Amino acid sequence: MLKKTAKENFSFLEPAKLDVHNISVSYGSRKAIDNMSFSINHGERVAVIGPNGAGKSTLFKALIGLISPDSGKIFIHGQPLGHHFDCVAFIPQREEVDWTFPVTIKDVVQMGRYNGRRRFKRNTKDEDDIVFDAMVQMDILELANRPIGDLSGGQQQRAFIARALAQKPHVMLMDEPFNGVDVVTQELIWELLDKLTHDKVTIMIATHDLNLASQKFDNVMLINKKMIAFGEPAKVFTKDNLAAAYENQVLFIGNNAVADQCCPKDIE
Amino acid sequence: MLNWLLAPFTYEFIQRGFIASVIVGTICSVIGCYVVIRSMAFMGDAMAHAILPGVAIAYILNGNLTLGALIASIIIALGIGQLSKLGKLKEDTSIGILFSAFLALGVLIISSIRTYAVDLSHILFGNILGVSRNDLIFTAATAFFILLFIIIFYKEFLIISFDRVYAKAVKIPVEFYRNFMLVLMALTIVASIQTVGVVMVAAMLVTPAAAAFILSKRLPVMMGISCLIGIISSIVGLYISYYANVASGAAIVLTATTIFLIIFLFSPERGIVWSRFRRRTRSG
């Protein structure tokens, strides 16, 4: 490779790899994200917590450039969003995919290596290896030639995670990855997260599960349209912060908080 | 038997008709795969019918009928997208509005041209025996470019159809490729008018691809099977048309429908009959 692509040109040791400055996003007249700012260091693992409609999915969509914010700026590795071709990988919620589509697991994972600038070249050995490794990592190699519609929810989720892995991301965004998947898949996701953290990939996971967030993450981000708190779980999950985020949907029993999680789905 | 098979080919205009319908069967079934997996059947129908005013206006202006058809078909395809976006309407509502408006406009113009009656039926139902040498060259060239683009932009079309969100995330210009696909659909439809006509082309866009969808698990395989069904339908349909002396477009479409029904009922994995049978033996 003669020409270095943008993402190979900087050091992995730089701090503050993901910076969000005062972004606001609205759908029509409804504000989904209101003046949010934060900064995440390279290789950190952050749980994004908030009630339904808090703007978790919207935040992710803004970070991959799917929605452009009304105001504010997003920087990745100090460069404005859109500068890097395939630096941020996003794993959508399962409901957003057409499962009757005639593609195999391998087709899906190969999409991760899509690159518009390499149209007439055949995939190199490296490319095939990346796809192969991603499938091995998510334990779906034997399913490679099966159509996605034939698989269980967990296996489908794994295929989409493998696609994200094949993108070789610097930032990985996962929207409710533990929803409706089996134990094996959950274990595989945790294994993967540890490996990614080791490889200094920045990870953000949107989840409803407060327990999970406080036990398995170094940092949590509590949002409800606005940033409520961001930091270590013990400092973020205070009575005041939870009350601010969940409004009436949280019940305090002594020192324990119970959040109501059975409200209607996000209307995004 | 051989005589029976070769008899139609003694006439040159029938040879041209055969070649034209095989080409049309091919492109309709390939583009049709995207029509089926992207749920654009209604769109295809609208684009086909929108050809009517295009041809009528071109006729009045003494212009090229094919060009008129193509322009009208592209206008409705892009218009539907714009109407949905600007009016915040669901796509099928926009199609419903523009589809009938174009059709009405076509009927209005044509009813004012009295001498047009004969040609009109050719547009509606196709006239396979009237395929001229130039028509054939146009159809073949169009088909060549359609297939070429489908191959070159295979990855983009696959990704925008399967996962729009991902497509946008990896910076594929989704709107551009969507419109590009609509233009390819318009070209397919216009190239097919001579053989199957406005009314039947929508069926050729959907039926072979739907049958192939039941049988296949990957898009390239689906396209291959769809193609095969499209070509077989065209050939069998034309023989039926020749020997039973019935309209060629209708014979082709009904042959495709028959093949679809057979696959729908008897396909080894998803066929209705076998799955009934399996259920019964399992419970019994």
Side-chain angles (χ1 to χ4, degrees):
Chain A
M1 236 212 217
L2 289 171
K3 232 168 74 182
K4 279 198 162 186
T5 50
K7 70 175 191 181
E8 288 162 322
N9 275 340
F10 42 79
S11 150
F12 281 96
L13 300 169
E14 289 171 50
K17 293 295 184 179
L18 175 60
D19 295 293
V20 171
H21 293 303
N22 305 95
I23 60 161
S24 296
V25 179
S26 49
Y27 297 109
S29 58
R30 195 174 67 88
K31 261 228 152 81
I33 292 180
D34 188 6
N35 200 22
M36 202 181 277
S37 298
F38 58 87
S39 177
I40 297 177
N41 285 331
H42 198 73
E44 255 179 38
R45 188 196 289 177
V46 177
V48 184
I49 302 276
N52 286 308
K56 300 190 291 283
S57 299
T58 307
L59 175 64
F60 283 3
K61 284 176 182 166
L63 288 175
I64 52 168
L66 207 64
I67 304 172
S68 39
D70 308 335
S71 58
K73 288 216 162 68
I74 297 168
F75 295 93
I76 294 173
H77 292 300
Q79 306 270 15
L81 194 67
H83 188 83
H84 304 295
F85 199 73
D86 46 9
C87 192
V88 187
F90 171 66
I91 294 153
Q93 291 194 40
R94 292 183 8 82
E95 291 78 9
E96 293 171 9
V97 177
D98 173 11
W99 296 111
T100 66
F101 203 93
V103 283
T104 60
I105 291 287
K106 196 177 175 192
D107 291 330
V108 173
V109 181
Q110 268 170 343
M111 285 181 202
R113 297 309 303 166
Y114 171 81
N115 184 336
R117 295 170 298 185
R118 255 201 337 258
R119 177 174 310 288
F120 296 106
K121 287 184 196 155
R122 272 194 68 83
N123 277 354
T124 57
K125 181 86 173 45
D126 285 359
E127 299 285 308
D128 291 340
D129 285 349
I130 291 170
V131 169
F132 183 86
D133 289 345
M135 289 196 289
V136 170
Q137 172 83 45
M138 293 322 290
D139 196 19
I140 47 173
L141 199 58
E142 286 109 79
L143 307 170
N145 294 317
R146 297 265 298 276
I148 48 160
D150 280 10
L151 306 177
S152 74
Q155 291 165 333
Q156 290 170 343
Q157 180 75 288
R158 269 139 68 184
F160 276 80
I161 296 174
R163 181 180 73 180
L165 281 179
Q167 288 179 266
K168 291 275 165 201
H170 289 191
V171 181
M172 175 97 110
L173 309 173
M174 303 170 106
D175 200 354
E176 302 284 358
F178 302 105
N179 261 11
V181 300
D182 50 284
V183 182
V184 178
T185 303
Q186 289 190 17
E187 285 304 316
L188 276 166
I189 295 176
W190 285 118
E191 252 174 56
L192 170 73
L193 291 179
D194 288 340
K195 183 178 176 293
L196 290 175
T197 304
H198 179 261
D199 293 346
K200 291 278 180 200
V201 174
T202 308
I203 302 163
M204 291 177 81
I205 294 186
T207 176
H208 279 101
D209 195 333
L210 295 175
N211 264 329
L212 195 83
S214 62
Q215 284 165 13
K216 299 257 194 177
F217 289 81
D218 310 327
N219 286 300
V220 293
M221 185 184 288
L222 188 61
I223 65 172
N224 189 359
K225 296 189 174 74
K226 292 177 183 183
M227 173 70 71
I228 300 204
F230 179 31
E232 289 167 32
K235 287 179 186 160
V236 169
F237 291 145
T238 63
K239 208 168 180 176
D240 288 348
N241 283 342
L242 286 172
Y246 284 86
E247 288 154 24
N248 304 325
Q249 298 166 32
V250 70
L251 178 68
F252 293 99
I253 307 165
N255 279 329
N256 299 315
V258 184
D260 178 8
Q261 288 162 16
C262 56
C263 12
K265 290 203 63 66
D266 289 26
I267 30 167
E268 287 168 3
Chain B
M1 182 66 186
L2 197 63
N3 266 346
W4 187 88
L5 283 174
L6 290 177
F9 290 101
T10 44
Y11 306 98
E12 202 187 324
F13 63 92
I14 296 183
Q15 287 172 20
R16 283 200 297 265
F18 258 86
I19 298 172
S21 18
V22 168
I23 295 173
V24 164
T26 309
I27 49 174
C28 279
S29 350
V30 172
I31 289 284
C33 288
Y34 282 112
V35 174
V36 167
I37 56 181
R38 292 173 59 95
S39 316
M40 298 200 301
F42 196 26
M43 176 70 104
D45 214 6
M47 287 168 75
H49 284 80
I51 279 175
L52 216 53
V55 171
I57 291 169
Y59 184 83
I60 290 176
L61 299 174
N62 260 329
N64 184 323
L65 301 191
T66 310
L67 192 65
L70 185 61
I71 291 171
S73 181
I74 290 174
I75 287 178
I76 196 171
L78 304 184
I80 286 163
Q82 284 305 311
L83 193 64
S84 310
K85 209 191 250 172
L86 298 176
K88 293 203 167 80
L89 296 169
K90 291 239 171 75
E91 191 173 79
D92 61 332
T93 308
S94 308
I95 293 176
I97 294 168
L98 288 183
F99 179 178
S100 19
F102 269 63
L103 196 58
L105 182 65
V107 171
L108 193 86
I109 298 171
I110 286 164
S111 67
S112 70
I113 323 169
R114 260 157 245 269
T115 55
Y116 205 59
V118 181
D119 295 78
L120 177 63
S121 84
H122 288 174
I123 292 169
L124 287 178
F125 305 112
N127 176 24
I128 199 132
L129 303 182
V131 178
S132 69
R133 186 169 282 275
N134 282 341
D135 288 337
L136 191 59
I137 292 170
F138 169 76
T139 309
T142 315
F144 173 76
F145 283 110
I146 290 170
L147 295 178
L148 188 69
F149 287 136
I150 287 288
I151 293 168
I152 294 179
F153 298 108
Y154 173 77
K155 277 186 188 167
E156 282 81 3
F157 285 144
L158 175 71
I159 294 176
I160 66 157
S161 304
F162 176 59
D163 192 339
R164 269 176 68 94
V165 171
Y166 179 74
K168 281 190 175 173
V170 293
K171 314 277 188 294
I172 297 177
V174 175
E175 283 298 305
F176 169 79
Y177 279 106
R178 197 192 102 92
N179 289 337
F180 186 25
M181 181 170 284
L182 289 174
V183 170
L184 291 184
M185 254 174 94
L187 279 169
T188 305
I189 290 167
V190 171
S192 312
I193 294 301
Q194 181 84 43
T195 47
V196 285
V198 165
V199 182
M200 313 277 182
V201 68
M204 283 311 280
L205 278 175
V206 173
T207 314
F213 179 76
I214 295 176
L215 289 178
S216 50
K217 295 164 181 172
R218 289 193 70 213
L219 188 55
V221 181
M222 179 178 168
M223 285 176 165
I225 296 176
S226 179
C227 233
L228 201 65
I229 296 172
I231 291 171
I232 292 173
S233 308
S234 299
I235 294 174
V236 174
L238 280 184
Y239 274 110
I240 294 172
S241 163
Y242 181 83
Y243 282 107
N245 199 19
V246 292
S248 57
I252 292 172
V253 167
L254 287 178
T255 309
T257 314
T258 309
I259 295 175
F260 170 80
L261 283 175
I262 292 169
I263 290 171
F264 173 71
L265 291 173
F266 299 107
S267 109
E269 274 188 45
R270 294 190 222 172
I272 298 292
V273 171
W274 292 128
S275 51
R276 279 272 160 78
F277 182 72
R278 266 198 300 261
R279 211 172 302 149
R280 192 165 299 166
T281 46
R282 206 175 297 155
S283 62

